[in-house]
Amino acid sequence: MSEYLIRLLVGGAVVSAFAMLGDLLRPKSFAGLFGAAPSVALATLGIAIHQHGANYAAVQTGSMMAGAVALAIYSAFVCQLLVRARVRALPATLMSIVVWLAAAFGLWAVAGGQA
């Protein structure tokens, strides 16, 4: 139970810090970028370093970066389908899951397939 309490406190503090940073930046649409995801990732990495060491956290960091790249590729592909091909949102996102899976597993394989 103590791990969950630490995760709650660290995550909450980092979420608040990122929210304040997002509130200071212009345009206000950047505030969402600094909301939950970076703060949860930092809290998770902090706990991983404390419990398993820096090498374990380094592998997790690589996985997070690969996931972010795969999400960017997926998002760009969805945007192309929505804007250029004029596909509706639901079919565009569902078709693009294949692109996300290919990007995610491709990056995972390039990184050596470590979990």
Side-chain angles (χ1 to χ4, degrees):
M1 187 61 137
S2 65
E3 178 184 340
Y4 292 116
L5 183 61
I6 292 170
R7 192 178 296 253
L8 174 80
L9 294 174
V10 172
V14 178
V15 165
S16 298
F18 274 100
M20 286 187 291
L21 176 65
D23 199 36
L24 293 173
L25 296 176
R26 302 278 186 257
K28 289 296 180 188
S29 60
F30 281 143
L33 292 174
F34 296 108
S39 54
V40 171
L42 289 175
T44 301
L45 287 175
I47 292 170
I49 289 170
H50 177 70
Q51 289 184 342
H52 302 287
N55 290 333
Y56 178 82
V59 171
Q60 296 304 314
T61 302
S63 297
M64 288 179 189
M65 289 189 300
V69 170
L71 179 62
I73 292 168
Y74 165 81
S75 300
F77 192 77
V78 168
C79 287
Q80 293 298 314
L81 287 177
L82 291 173
V83 174
R84 296 197 182 199
R86 303 247 186 242
V87 177
R88 296 180 55 93
L90 183 61
T93 55
L94 290 176
M95 288 186 296
S96 300
I97 288 175
V98 174
V99 172
W100 178 81
L101 288 172
F105 283 113
L107 289 168
W108 182 67
V110 167
Q114 299 175 0

